[in-house]
């Protein structure tokens, strides 16, 4: 774990001195320059520590006079603990996202408590209730089934009333007004996927999307916009859907695999919801004697290790993972420290590999 930031170390030292009586109630603290010289730090670092002491009710700053000990009971004592709720923790891209969150929090002296919902609203409800009892300072959450109405919104409203800030990542709840989030531009990603395939000669493009999170709906929206923009056929039979309940079984066994491949038989390319789906589709194609990209070009999302080490490396839109996690953590820290924060939508990069090649004219459609 990283060492605490210098302003946090100074905050801890001054707070301890106040609690131990080194500085008495009403006593004037040394000036900013004096403390900066004495501790070998910058004035800005001193100001950050004093701002935190003032926020927690240990000091009072008087313009033109100085900073004085003002020991009043804080409205809410800081626990230096932040709850982190993800749909999953140890698989796919989530370890990288959580690493970004943990690194940013620990640098500022906070300890993350990790929980996973497995994308179930009942798990989310239980975890939220547990965190309320543990008196956390804030919460970083990946929305659970964010495309559906969420019965846990009253708990988030209660957190707001308790003064516990929340920042969402990947998915959030549109019905929760004023929430702060860090997400990807999924609509743009879906559109860009189609345009990438069109530029390589593909005209019959299918898609596989997830129906119960906003990422899946956003990517589907971009996909349909891309088809219409280029005057391509929008065929319902070329679009397949799965959800959290069928995530583990989708494209895993017959006769389901055959049904999926029959639906996509006229397509020369497929936009896949993520690398997990694309890898499953790639294996299904090979099991039926078809090849990638010869018979089907595949493009997906997240640029995960799964995609990089697939039988044929996947061309995949690059999710920033650690940077997204760190951004969510920074926004939460800003809210904890009383700053206003705004939601941000991040752009995709693209990792080009061998699952898409330029369409060859006159080849047979499988």
């Amino acid at each position: 774990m990283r060492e605490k930031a210098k302003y946090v170390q100074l905050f801890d030292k001054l707070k301890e001195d106040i609690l131990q009586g080194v500085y008495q109630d009403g006593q004037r603290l040394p000036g900013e320059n004096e403390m900066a010289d004495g501790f070998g730090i910058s004035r800005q670092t001193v100001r950050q520590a004093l701002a935190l002491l003032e926020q927690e009710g240990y000091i009072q700053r008087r313009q033109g006079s100085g900073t004085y000990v003002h020991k009043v009971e804080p409205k809410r004592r800081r626990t230096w603990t932040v709850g982190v709720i993800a749909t999953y923790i140890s698989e796919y891209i989530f370890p990288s996202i959580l690493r970004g969150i943990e690194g940013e929090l620990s640098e500022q002296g906070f300890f993350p408590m990790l929980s996973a919902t497995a994308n179930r609203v009942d798990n989310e409800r239980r975890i939220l209730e547990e965190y309320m009892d543990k008196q956390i300072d804030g919460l970083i959450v990946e929305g659970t089934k964010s495309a559906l109405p969420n019965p846990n919104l009253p708990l988030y409203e209660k957190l707001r009333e308790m003064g516990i800030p929340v920042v969402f990542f990947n998915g959030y709840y549109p019905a929760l007004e004023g929430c702060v989030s860090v997400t990807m531009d999924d609509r743009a990603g879906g559109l860009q996927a189609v345009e990438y395939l069109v530029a390589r000669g593909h005209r019959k493009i299918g898609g596989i999307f997830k129906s119960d999170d906003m990422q899946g709906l956003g990517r589907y929206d971009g996909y349909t916009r891309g088809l219409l923009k280029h005057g391509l056929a929008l065929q319902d039979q070329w679009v397949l859907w799965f959800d959290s309940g069928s995530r583990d079984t989708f494209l895993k066994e017959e006769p389901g695999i055959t049904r999926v491949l029959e639906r996509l038989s006229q397509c020369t390319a497929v936009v896949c919801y993520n690398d997990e789906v694309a890898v499953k589709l790639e294996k299904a194609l090979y099991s039926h004697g078809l090849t990638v990209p010869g018979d089907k070009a595949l493009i997906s999302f997240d640029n995960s290790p799964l995609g990089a080490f697939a039988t044929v490396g996947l061309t995949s839109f690059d999710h920033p993972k650690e940077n997204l996690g760190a951004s969510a953590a920074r926004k939460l820290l800003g809210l904890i420290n009383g700053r206003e924060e705004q939601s941000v939508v991040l752009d995709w990069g693209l990792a080009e590999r061998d699952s898409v090649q330029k369409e060859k004219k006159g080849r047979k459609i499988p």
Side-chain angles (χ1 to χ4, degrees), residues 6 31 36 129 131 172 288:
K6 290 182 179 179
E129 290 172 343
Y131 279 147
Y172 62 93
H288 282 244

Side-chain angles (χ1 to χ4, degrees), residues 85-347:
I85 304 176
T87 51
Y88 303 95
I89 289 178
S90 60
E91 57 186 273
Y92 197 48
I93 63 173
F94 294 100
S96 297
I97 295 173
L98 296 173
R99 190 160 52 245
I101 292 173
E102 190 277 337
E104 201 71 29
L105 292 179
S106 63
E107 185 175 335
Q108 301 301 322
F110 287 83
F111 175 77
M113 296 178 62
L114 304 180
S115 299
T117 65
N119 218 23
R120 292 174 50 130
V121 294
D122 53 350
N123 288 339
E124 180 190 44
R125 187 172 194 83
R126 173 182 53 80
I127 292 167
L128 287 172
E129 290 172 343
E130 290 175 356
Y131 279 147
M132 286 178 180
D133 292 337
K134 291 176 180 176
Q135 296 294 306
I136 55 174
D137 291 329
L139 193 58
I140 299 175
V141 182
E142 181 182 28
T144 298
K145 295 180 180 173
S146 53
L148 304 179
N150 189 290
N152 297 325
L153 295 188
L155 294 180
Y156 286 102
E157 295 290 358
K158 185 175 180 181
L159 285 166
R160 185 176 290 174
E161 292 170 4
M162 294 169 64
I164 300 174
V166 178
V167 170
F168 291 91
F169 70 96
N170 280 346
Y172 62 93
Y173 306 122
L176 195 63
E177 294 184 6
C179 67
V180 176
S181 63
V182 181
T183 57
M184 301 303 300
D185 195 340
D186 291 300
R187 285 179 176 79
L191 173 61
Q192 291 163 14
V194 170
E195 295 195 320
Y196 185 88
L197 294 170
V198 168
R200 283 148 186 80
H202 294 280
R203 308 289 294 176
K204 296 182 177 181
I205 302 170
I208 301 176
F209 303 98
K210 193 164 185 282
S211 62
D212 58 357
D213 67 35
M214 63 188 307
Q215 299 98 298
L217 299 193
R219 292 167 198 178
Y220 170 73
D221 186 18
Y223 160 83
T224 58
R225 290 173 188 235
L227 294 179
L228 296 174
K229 176 181 178 180
H230 291 280
L232 303 182
L234 176 56
Q235 302 282 355
D236 273 357
Q237 66 266 31
W238 295 352
V239 178
L240 296 107
W241 296 90
F242 70 100
D243 61 18
S244 299
S246 60
R247 169 179 176 261
D248 293 333
T249 58
F250 183 69
L251 280 171
K252 275 292 189 71
E253 55 191 30
E254 296 289 2
I257 291 175
T258 297
R259 286 198 297 267
V260 168
L261 297 186
E262 286 175 350
R263 292 271 299 273
L264 298 172
S265 61
Q266 296 183 59
C267 302
T268 65
V270 182
V271 177
C272 297
Y273 168 77
N274 65 8
D275 290 349
E276 283 185 322
V277 169
V279 167
K280 289 178 182 179
L281 180 57
E282 183 182 85
K283 290 179 180 178
L285 289 166
Y286 277 101
S287 73
H288 282 244
L290 303 172
T291 63
V292 176
D295 293 301
K296 290 277 189 292
L298 305 182
I299 189 168
S300 61
F301 290 83
D302 293 338
N303 188 26
S304 70
L306 280 178
F309 297 108
T311 303
V312 174
L314 296 174
T315 292
S316 182
F317 285 94
D318 188 20
H319 190 295
K321 305 176 189 69
E322 283 197 42
N323 287 339
L324 180 140
S327 178
R330 286 194 295 270
K331 288 192 173 296
L332 183 72
L333 292 170
L335 292 173
I336 289 173
N337 289 319
R339 297 195 298 271
E340 289 189 8
E341 295 287 349
Q342 301 296 322
S343 296
V344 63
V345 178
L346 304 179
D347 295 325

